[in-house]
Each structure stands twice: as structure tokens, then as C-alpha cells.
Amino acid sequence: MQIHLSDVTSCEGKTVQVSTELEMETVSFQMGEFPVLKKEPVDLVITNTGNKVLELTGNTCVTVGIPCDRCLEQVKVEIPCHIERKLDMKLTDEERVNDLDESNYLTGMDLDVDRLVYLEVLMSWPLKVLCRDNCKGICSQCGKNLNDGPCGCAEEPKDPRMAAISDIFSKFKEV
């Protein structure tokens, strides 16, 4: 969703409240592509603080399907987004690039709300996702989800350097 900002920038002290729906269906970056399962409307307040500077505040919540780090089951992860930005509208697009301003959600007088929320989601992306605290993961041999029960594969040492020690213990079990 694009919001044109020229009417806000034309009058100092002017405040505009906008509620808009997100159009994004996936979140894609180098970690992969993740489906957006639920999205709340984006509530924005845009205030002209003077000298062609806009203050942007807002909230939304996006629920993304992210695989569990251990068993790869899809987990519904709510990512709340609290937006607080200052936009200097005096800068041209080229000056923003030269100043290393990463606001690629702003082109001229148009604010790309989906891109703004996308960047907020990336900044709030969880480091680790588990389907449950005691997730058992998947079998390294057959790939069965161990949360559903044992797979029947012979258990091997987790660390190949421990294989010799494991052999010693298995010989004692036979005696």
C-alpha cells in the first residue's frame, strides 16, 4: 500500500492518521521464504514537525509461519511491529542513498507501507524458533519427527569422536 505524503508535508503541525491493510503474503530474505499467516491493519500517525520533517509512528502485528529449529514443523510466530521513524523530506532519493539512509520504503513523496513493515519484521525476527520447549527434533538417520514417538533406528553417538567410547560402553553391556 502506498501513501502519498504531499498533503502532510505542505502544512507544518499537520497530523494524519491512517489505517491500512498489508498486502504482503510472504517474508523473503536469505534465510528463505516464509508465509504470512495473519496480518493486522497498520495504524499510522504521520506528523509534520516542521522544516519538512515527518514523524511516523505506528503499530501492527504480523504472524509468520517459521519452521521449528529442531523438528522443522511450522510454528505460528507473532511478530509485533512498533514503528517510530523520522523522515527528512528535504532529501532527494539520491541524497538518501548517498547518506546511507536505508529508507527504501520512501520514494519521493510516496511511503510504501508494506516495505516499511517488512523491514520492521526483519529487525524483530526471532533468533530461535521451537514448536515447544522440549522438542526432540528429527532422527538424523531416517528424518522421522521424534515428537511423534521413537523411530526404531539404532542410536548412534552424536559426535563421531565419541564413537570409540561408545564401543567400550556397548561391550560392557554385553557382559
Side-chain angles (χ1 to χ4, degrees), residues 86-147:
K86 288 193 185 253
L87 307 176
D88 189 348
M89 301 305 288
K90 294 183 300 277
L91 297 176
T92 64
D93 294 335
E94 187 177 310
E95 289 172 328
R96 280 191 183 91
V97 171
N98 292 338
D99 288 345
L100 299 177
D101 185 0
E102 297 178 13
S103 59
N104 62 348
Y105 49 84
L106 189 62
T107 305
M109 289 288 178
D110 293 324
L111 174 68
D112 185 343
V113 177
D114 274 65
R115 187 72 184 159
L116 175 65
V117 171
Y118 168 81
L119 294 172
E120 292 292 328
V121 167
L122 288 186
M123 288 191 291
S124 301
W125 196 262
L127 295 177
K128 186 169 190 146
V129 174
L130 295 177
C131 61
R132 57 184 80 105
D133 289 336
N134 62 347
C135 177
K136 295 177 182 173
I138 57 175
C139 175
S140 61
Q141 294 174 4
C142 69
K144 182 181 186 299
N145 186 339
L146 298 175
N147 294 316

Side-chain angles (χ1 to χ4, degrees), residues 15-28:
T15 298
V16 175
Q17 293 184 345
V18 179
S19 183
T20 184
E21 297 293 326
L22 284 173
E23 295 172 355
M24 83 168 74
E25 297 297 324
T26 61
V27 176
S28 301

Side-chain angles (χ1 to χ4, degrees), residues 145-163:
N145 186 339
L146 298 175
N147 294 316
D148 299 336
C151 63
C153 293
E155 202 172 301
E156 291 187 19
K158 306 282 190 245
D159 187 340
R161 296 171 291 181
M162 301 299 287

